[in-house]
């Protein structure tokens, strides 16, 4: 059982005006509990179905679920056409903010729903002309440009599951995904802009295609958007320019209705804990889950809101909360190509000010990096349009929560800390902004319709005040349907951890506080055992981050002769702290002892400049464990910056 370390007493009531006008009210919890299938059927009614389902859930062969059985629909029609048909064609769907490198090429561009419908229809026609048929897989390897969204929706429109591969990945990573899901076509661009200069993408596709060939898989066509205008190698038999194929295609395209369980996409997990898994999502249930949660958790008022999610479409957050959720709901949103700190460190806040962003959704890693720089930068901007803030990807440390709330949210915006996974497809645990009194660091309660709980080894619910394993008791519409091509691994990984039938094992540790609210405590694999006490990474990291000199912290357990394992911490200091001073290590050890207790005191604290993170910004603790235990560092292919590990190791040699 996990020890319960940190104490948090601060709570923040929802703003009265938001509460009064909230999309989802408190009664929803009871209503969902009384008849969960009726509740989900009501959510599915947010979509436009060609044929209504005749059964909400088929769970006759667990863990293989079917939702909205017999129903048919088209995902792209739901995201685009129906808004145009309802007279909202002139409404902006995407405010594209490109890197301001070359105003002619990038700049900004606002795309209405009517324009998006034409673009998606053209791309659907073009893909069909390239030989893509219903059921064929299409890989998308692109920067954050509107064509990436268009390509995804075009695939959905013709029933060809897409697999988006993050544009920062290597040709090896791309090749293995092309092979794993047997992609027929790749959609890419010549390159993209990052920090003011053009970087190439097409060469990686050329390489990946050759590597996939070596693995026995042939890619038939590569569709290439001209983004930067840089030189590219060209194979006439395979390569096709987007402007030739798509721009010339007809804007007329009749969307076909597909079965509710028709595959929508395969998304590979972030790879924080190991080799990424190809997660399959299908159409009706997934769209229901993303539309419902985006509407409820962000309290979306599509007529007046301007929503912005900073994720890359190469991650599930980009799929669910840039593409499918917001567009199904007819939202107006910002789509941003660049990085947070280029051309200057206030770039994000400028965008919020310029577009009047109302809901802002980002990751704790970004918040902590802004904390590191100091509040002067956001303080110079007018962020008064914001009315709600979201967080996803890792636990948000209470200190980071407070900073986000006060500095970015002006002490007025509620924060929704949303726990979910690639596998869950949509948010699972989160405050409801008009209902829940938020607590810094807690994801609070499972959303109406979701049965999340914290259980012990035997799968029994733990009492309030205790920790254990996070589970979901039973199926939900947006759940993964399998691991692509590996039903056995799907069953073993997620549904076999407990003897109890239908328990989904998330792989995360969690606790219930005295009120029964849920706190995520990090990966079960990362739990430390110090003298028989099971300690979570998150709580000790949060204690470190609560020290005024610390911006970011990662904690791992390393073998120890006396205590079994000992706590080893890696910390990044805030800019204002300089090098922290001579006593920084003992100061921080004392701080943790005071905040948590002697048991959690780190044996070793290392001040570092960077931490190893995945491309989606999650700390890869397994690599730090390798360092702490003086081992060869393991697989780094999903690491954002591979030089970070050398930096950390060399810093250690110098004894800091
Ligand atoms: P892999 O499964 O390949 O190791 P990954 O788990 O990092 O990769 P994702 O599906 O992108 O891939 O991440 C889901 C995980 O992110 C969750 O299991 C959880 O550990 C973490 N997470 C996401 N949101 C939150 C949150 N709000 N609070 C705490 N943890 C979160
Ligand atoms: Mg995972």
């Amino acid at each position: 059982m996990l020890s319960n370390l940190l104490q948090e007493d601060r709570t923040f009531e929802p703003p009265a005006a938001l509460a009064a006008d909230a999309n989802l009210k408190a009664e929803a919890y009871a209503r969902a509990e009384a008849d969960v299938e009726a509740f989900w059927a009501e959510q599915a009614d947010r979509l436009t179905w060609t044929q209504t389902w005749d059964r909400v859930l088929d769970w006759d062969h667990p863990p293989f679920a079917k939702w909205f059985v017999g129903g048919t629909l088209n995902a792209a029609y739901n995201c685009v056409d129906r808004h145009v048909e309802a007279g909202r064609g002139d409404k902006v769907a995407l405010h594209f903010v490109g890197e301001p490198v070359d105003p002619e090429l990038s700049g900004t561009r606002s795309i209405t729903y009517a324009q998006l419908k034409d673009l998606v229809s053209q791309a659907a026609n073009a893909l069909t002309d390239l030989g893509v048929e219903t059921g064929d897989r299409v890989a998308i390897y692109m920067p954050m440009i509107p064509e990436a969204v268009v390509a995804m929706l075009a695939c959905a429109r013709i029933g060809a599951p897409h697999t988006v591969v993050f544009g920062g990945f290597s040709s090896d990573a791309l090749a293995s995904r092309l092979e794993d899901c047997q992609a027929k076509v790749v959609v890419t661009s010549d390159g993209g802009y990052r920090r003011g200069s053009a970087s190439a993408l097409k060469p990686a596709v050329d390489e990946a295609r050759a590597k996939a060939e070596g693995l026995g898989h042939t890619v038939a066509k590569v569709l290439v958007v001209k983004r930067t205008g840089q030189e590219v190698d060209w194979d006439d038999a395979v390569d096709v320019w987007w402007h030739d194929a798509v721009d010339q295609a007809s804007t007329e395209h009749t969307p076909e209705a597909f079965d509710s369980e028709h595959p929508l996409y395969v998304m590979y997990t972030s790879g924080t804990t190991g080799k990424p898994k190809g997660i399959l999502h299908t159409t009706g249930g997934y769209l229901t889950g993303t539309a419902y949660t985006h509407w409820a958790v962000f309290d979306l008022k599509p007529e007046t809101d301007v929503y912005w999610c900073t994720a890359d479409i190469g991650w599930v957050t980009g799929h669910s909360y840039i593409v499918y959720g917001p567009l199904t709901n007819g939202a107006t949103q910002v789509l941003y190509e660049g990085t947070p700190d280029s051309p200057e460190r206030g770039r994000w806040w400028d965008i919020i000010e310029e577009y009047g962003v109302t809901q802002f959704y980002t990751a704790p890693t970004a918040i902590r990096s802004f904390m590191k720089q100091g509040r002067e930068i956001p303080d110079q901007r007018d962020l008064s349009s914001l009315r709600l803030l979201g967080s996803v990807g890792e636990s948000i440390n209470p200190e980071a929560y407070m900073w986000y709330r006060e500095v970015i949210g002006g002490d007025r915006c509620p924060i929704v800390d949303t726990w979910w996974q690639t596998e869950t497809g949509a948010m699972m645990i989160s405050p409801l902004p008009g209902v829940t009194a938020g607590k810094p660091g807690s994801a609070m309660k499972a959303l109406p319709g979701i049965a999340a709980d914290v259980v012990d080894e035997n799968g029994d619910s733990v009492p309030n005040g205790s920790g254990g394993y996070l589970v979901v008791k039973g199926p939900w519409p947006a759940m993964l349907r399998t691991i692509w091509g590996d039903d056995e691994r799907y069953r073993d990984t997620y549904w076999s951890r407990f003897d109890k039938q239908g328990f989904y094992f998330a792989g995360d540790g969690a606790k219930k506080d005295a009120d029964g609210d849920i706190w995520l405590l990090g990966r079960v694999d990362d739990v430390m055992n110090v003298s028989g006490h099971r300690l979570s990474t998150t709580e000790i990291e949060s204690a470190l981050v609560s020290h005024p000199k610390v911006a970011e912290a990662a904690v791992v357990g390393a073998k120890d002769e006396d205590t079994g394992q000992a706590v080893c911490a890696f910390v990044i200091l805030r800019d204002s702290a300089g090098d922290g001073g001579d006593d920084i290590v003992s100061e921080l050890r004392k701080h943790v002892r005071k905040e948590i207790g002697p048991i959690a005191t780190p044996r070793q604290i290392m001040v570092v400049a960077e931490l190893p993170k995945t491309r989606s910004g999650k700390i890869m603790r397994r690599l730090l464990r390798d360092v702490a235990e003086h081992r060869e560092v393991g697989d780094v292919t999903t690491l954002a910056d591979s030089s970070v590990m050398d930096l950390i190791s060399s810093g250690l040699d110098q004894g800091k």
Side-chain angles (χ1 to χ4, degrees):
M1 208 75 79
L2 277 168
S3 299
N4 185 2
L5 302 177
L6 280 180
Q7 207 41 49
E8 178 59 64
D9 302 319
R10 292 168 289 196
T11 58
F12 297 98
E13 291 293 332
L18 198 158
D21 195 28
N23 282 351
L24 202 63
K25 300 246 172 34
E27 55 75 40
Y29 291 104
R31 190 153 47 85
E33 200 159 307
D35 187 344
V36 74
E37 290 192 17
F39 181 80
W40 282 121
E42 198 186 297
Q43 305 315 319
D45 268 335
R46 300 177 181 285
L47 311 180
T48 305
W49 296 79
T50 308
Q51 170 81 50
T52 333
W53 60 88
D54 28 60
R55 191 175 171 195
V56 173
L57 168 66
D58 172 352
W59 191 234
D60 298 346
H61 306 283
F64 300 97
K66 290 187 181 139
W67 282 90
F68 310 113
V69 185
T72 65
L73 75 170
N74 186 288
Y77 174 85
N78 272 276
C79 289
V80 184
D81 303 47
R82 65 175 184 150
H83 306 308
V84 180
E85 287 171 14
R88 294 189 295 269
D90 291 339
K91 188 176 181 339
V92 172
L94 302 172
H95 285 298
F96 172 61
V97 183
E99 282 235 333
V101 184
D102 174 349
E104 268 224 286
L105 274 174
S106 48
T108 61
R109 185 177 158 203
S110 293
I111 300 173
T112 64
Y113 275 96
Q115 290 167 331
L116 190 60
K117 174 173 179 279
D118 286 351
L119 291 167
V120 172
S121 299
Q122 287 179 302
N125 283 321
L127 286 173
T128 304
D129 289 345
L130 290 179
V132 179
E133 290 171 16
T134 301
D136 287 343
R137 271 81 58 206
V138 174
I140 298 176
Y141 181 70
M142 287 173 97
M144 284 287 287
I145 54 176
E147 287 82 354
V149 177
V150 170
M152 288 167 74
L153 292 172
C155 288
R157 197 173 183 93
I158 61 175
H162 52 72
T163 186
V164 182
V165 179
F166 174 57
F169 273 147
S170 66
S171 60
D172 283 327
L174 177 58
S176 71
R177 286 160 178 76
L178 292 178
E179 195 275 334
D180 190 68
C181 71
Q182 301 281 299
K184 188 173 195 176
V185 166
V186 180
V187 186
T188 188
S189 67
D190 51 357
Y193 290 108
R194 215 178 141 72
R195 296 190 196 285
S197 49
S199 62
L201 274 182
K202 174 74 165 49
V205 176
D206 298 342
E207 277 171 42
R209 200 156 61 74
K211 286 174 185 165
E213 196 75 49
L215 299 168
H217 172 67
T218 304
V219 171
K221 292 284 176 194
V222 178
L223 185 58
V224 189
V225 175
K226 189 175 254 179
R227 168 72 181 144
T228 60
Q230 61 203 118
E231 273 296 309
V232 288
D233 286 343
W234 204 255
D235 178 346
D236 281 326
V238 176
D239 297 328
V240 181
W241 282 114
W242 176 282
H243 54 259
D244 288 337
V246 177
D247 293 1
Q248 315 302 326
S250 163
T251 54
E252 295 298 316
H253 184 274
T254 310
E256 186 185 333
F258 298 106
D259 190 274
S260 176
E261 284 299 332
H262 188 78
L264 183 62
Y265 68 80
V266 178
M267 172 88 252
Y268 291 82
T269 55
S270 297
T272 311
T273 56
K275 188 174 178 290
K277 303 168 276 284
I279 302 301
L280 174 69
H281 283 292
T282 60
T283 309
Y286 173 80
L287 226 50
T288 298
T290 53
Y292 155 61
T293 50
H294 182 259
W295 169 85
V297 174
F298 291 120
D299 190 47
L300 183 83
K301 307 284 195 275
E303 298 310 320
T304 47
D305 283 334
V306 178
Y307 160 86
W308 182 19
C309 165
T310 65
D312 191 281
I313 52 137
W315 308 120
V316 73
T317 305
H319 283 52
S320 299
Y321 298 106
I322 294 178
V323 180
Y324 291 107
L327 295 178
T328 300
N329 289 336
T332 293
Q333 66 180 317
V334 170
L335 182 75
Y336 177 53
E337 177 184 25
T339 46
D341 52 0
S342 175
E344 49 169 340
R345 301 207 287 190
R347 176 72 165 154
W348 277 9
W349 320 126
D350 287 341
I351 293 172
I352 290 178
E353 183 173 336
E354 182 173 348
Y355 289 90
V357 170
T358 47
Q359 290 102 329
F360 180 64
Y361 192 31
T362 194
T365 179
I367 298 164
R368 289 187 303 252
S369 78
F370 295 124
M371 268 172 75
K372 178 174 186 293
Q373 295 165 4
R375 65 177 298 160
E376 297 70 30
I377 301 163
D379 276 352
Q380 287 159 6
R381 272 79 181 182
D382 178 4
L383 303 178
S384 61
S385 59
L386 288 169
R387 66 182 193 90
L388 193 154
L389 302 172
S391 173
V392 62
E394 291 185 288
S395 293
I396 179 164
N397 321 94
E399 205 59 30
Y401 180 108
M402 290 307 297
W403 193 93
Y404 196 26
R405 187 179 156 89
E406 284 166 7
V407 178
I408 306 304
D411 224 357
R412 121 197 126 251
C413 305
I415 295 178
V416 289
D417 174 11
T418 61
W419 178 87
W420 59 292
Q421 309 175 293
T422 308
E423 294 88 339
T424 68
M427 298 164 181
M428 302 292 276
I429 305 175
S430 168
L432 283 178
V435 175
T436 316
K439 294 178 190 169
S442 172
M444 304 303 288
K445 284 191 177 4
L447 290 169
I450 301 296
D453 196 6
V454 183
V455 301
D456 63 18
E457 240 358 281
N458 303 318
D460 294 322
S461 192
V462 301
N464 289 355
S466 307
Y469 303 94
L470 185 70
V471 297
V472 186
K473 297 175 166 177
W476 63 99
M479 66 190 265
L480 76 167
R481 297 304 192 258
T482 190
I483 293 177
W484 184 258
D486 201 344
D487 287 350
E488 231 12 77
R489 188 171 175 212
Y490 165 68
R491 192 196 297 271
D492 290 349
T493 309
Y494 304 110
W495 300 94
S496 306
R497 181 67 177 69
F498 301 97
D499 285 339
K500 310 209 163 159
Q501 176 77 289
F503 268 35
Y504 170 85
F505 172 55
D508 286 349
K511 75 174 183 193
K512 288 191 239 172
D513 68 13
D515 305 322
D517 293 322
I518 295 175
W519 295 68
L520 275 303
L521 297 181
R523 315 292 178 135
V524 170
D525 300 345
D526 290 337
V527 168
M528 296 163 284
N529 195 327
V530 180
S531 305
H533 295 267
R534 289 168 62 73
L535 307 180
S536 90
T537 51
T538 304
E539 293 190 309
I540 303 176
E541 288 165 5
S542 289
L544 283 162
V545 172
S546 75
H547 188 281
K549 288 184 182 168
V550 176
E552 190 146 23
V555 160
V556 298
K559 280 199 198 67
D560 186 278
E561 284 187 5
D562 299 330
T563 55
Q565 275 188 318
V567 177
C568 288
F570 298 76
V571 299
I572 299 179
L573 300 179
R574 296 201 196 196
D575 289 356
S576 56
D579 72 353
D582 291 344
D583 294 334
I584 182 72
V585 168
S586 64
E587 201 177 317
L588 293 180
R589 295 183 78 225
K590 252 186 243 146
H591 179 74
V592 173
R593 194 171 316 137
K594 176 171 79 55
E595 290 293 304
I596 295 184
I599 188 70
T601 312
R603 180 185 73 186
Q604 204 179 359
I605 296 181
M606 285 149 274
V607 177
V608 294
E610 285 293 343
L611 288 169
K613 290 182 186 156
T614 61
R615 303 296 178 98
S616 61
K618 296 175 204 278
I619 298 172
M620 286 171 84
R621 292 177 188 75
R622 67 181 169 81
L623 299 180
L624 293 173
R625 214 176 300 129
D626 291 342
V627 172
E629 297 187 336
H630 311 288
R631 260 195 311 276
E632 186 84 11
V633 175
D635 181 22
V636 293
T637 47
T638 54
L639 202 59
D641 175 359
S642 51
S643 65
V644 165
M645 290 317 295
D646 300 337
L647 218 94
I648 291 173
S649 306
S650 68
L652 292 192
D653 295 342
Q654 290 155 24
K656 182 115 197 201

